[in-house]
Amino acid sequence: VDIVLAFDEKRDQYLWFQTGWYDDRKIRGITVYIRIKNQKIYIEEDWTEEGIANELLKENIPKQDIVLAFHDPESRKSTEFAVA
């Protein structure tokens, strides 16, 4: 199984995923998918232990610039992060 990083800077989309074969099973899965939209960082997928949002906060990115897009818009209202 290969770990792949894909950066599409033209469309501001960034992926970290796995693809390959394990025995006779095809493996593919997204670990992290981030995109930048309307000057906010949308975390679409995050299967890391620490959490990409926590890493962004350590880099002094304000919570109001981070959208936890893996939650539906209504659920985002109950987080400390941006809704959209």
Side-chain angles (χ1 to χ4, degrees), residues 31-48:
T31 303
V32 174
Y33 172 31
I34 293 174
R35 62 192 183 115
I36 300 171
K37 178 180 164 186
N38 301 325
Q39 300 178 340
K40 296 196 185 298
I41 300 169
Y42 282 68
I43 302 172
E44 300 288 349
E45 292 280 343
D46 183 2
W47 294 99
T48 62

Side-chain angles (χ1 to χ4, degrees), residues 1-81:
V1 176
D2 294 318
I3 295 174
V4 180
L5 298 175
F7 298 159
D8 179 355
E9 293 176 340
K10 183 177 179 184
R11 294 176 189 84
D12 286 326
Q13 298 188 82
Y14 307 90
L15 286 142
W16 167 15
F17 62 98
Q18 307 80 38
T19 187
W21 290 90
Y22 181 78
D23 293 329
D24 62 346
R25 254 183 56 217
K26 178 68 174 170
I27 303 294
R28 57 185 160 271
I30 296 173
T31 303
V32 174
Y33 172 31
I34 293 174
R35 62 192 183 115
I36 300 171
K37 178 180 164 186
N38 301 325
Q39 300 178 340
K40 296 196 185 298
I41 300 169
Y42 282 68
I43 302 172
E44 300 288 349
E45 292 280 343
D46 183 2
W47 294 99
T48 62
E49 222 172 288
E50 179 70 26
I52 294 300
N54 291 323
E55 294 297 322
L56 293 170
L57 293 173
K58 286 180 190 175
E59 295 298 322
N60 297 316
I61 305 295
K63 288 181 181 181
Q64 64 265 21
D65 290 345
I66 301 170
V67 179
L68 303 180
F70 49 84
H71 292 305
D72 65 88
E74 191 61 31
S75 297
R76 292 180 209 161
K77 293 177 184 176
S78 62
T79 73
E80 296 178 9
F81 295 90

